């Protein structure tokens, strides 16, 4: 019975992932509607408005231009959000360090 439950749950998860990927690609290449903001995992760069460490892939609010480019939308987080962002960022740093240490 346990194996049946795992198999049943895996399919919806894979479908959800596929839909998210398709939605991201659509937004990137067709653009978001004027004023529409979506959350997208992007490579953090120095000086971004959310202060994420450069080099981490992090989900932030963006508007897609439709030419394979996007613009990070600033000002979408409040103080509580920044606390959660810092916690998630630290978790990503730890995961990256763990993965990199296994390659040595």
């Amino acid at each position: 019975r346990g194996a049946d439950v795992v198999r049943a749950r895996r399919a919806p998860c894979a479908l959800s992932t596929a839909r998210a990927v398709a939605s991201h690609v659509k937004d990137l290449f067709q653009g978001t509607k004027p004023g529409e903001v979506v959350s997208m995992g992007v490579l953090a760069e120095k000086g971004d408005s959310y202060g994420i460490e450069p080099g981490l892939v992090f989900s932030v609010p963006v508007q897609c231009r439709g030419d394979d480019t996007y613009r990070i939308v600033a000002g979408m987080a409040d103080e509580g959000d920044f606390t959660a962002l810092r916690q998630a960022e630290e978790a990503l740093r730890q995961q990256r360090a763990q993965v990199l240490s296994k390659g040595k």
Side-chain angles (χ1 to χ4, degrees):
R1 170 151 164 69
D4 292 337
V5 171
V6 168
R7 276 194 298 275
R9 290 188 176 165
R10 192 176 305 150
C13 180
L15 182 58
S16 177
T17 301
R19 284 183 179 158
V21 169
S23 178
H24 275 49
V25 171
K26 177 183 175 284
D27 287 339
L28 273 173
F29 288 97
Q30 294 182 1
T32 50
K33 296 174 185 166
E36 180 182 25
V37 177
V38 297
S39 182
M40 189 173 288
V42 300
L43 185 63
E45 298 178 5
K46 186 175 181 175
D48 81 26
S49 58
Y50 293 95
I52 304 302
E53 179 181 317
L56 291 177
V57 175
F58 211 88
S59 183
V60 294
V62 300
Q63 290 179 318
C64 298
R65 297 182 178 113
D67 58 358
D68 192 24
T69 63
Y70 59 87
R71 177 183 75 80
I72 294 176
V73 179
M76 298 286 291
D78 62 24
E79 198 59 41
D81 294 330
F82 275 104
T83 299
L85 286 171
R86 296 291 80 83
Q87 290 171 346
E89 180 183 19
E90 181 56 31
L92 285 172
R93 278 194 203 110
Q94 290 175 6
Q95 290 172 7
R96 177 180 60 191
Q98 185 178 24
V99 168
L100 294 175
S101 71
K102 289 182 180 187
K104 294 181 181 181

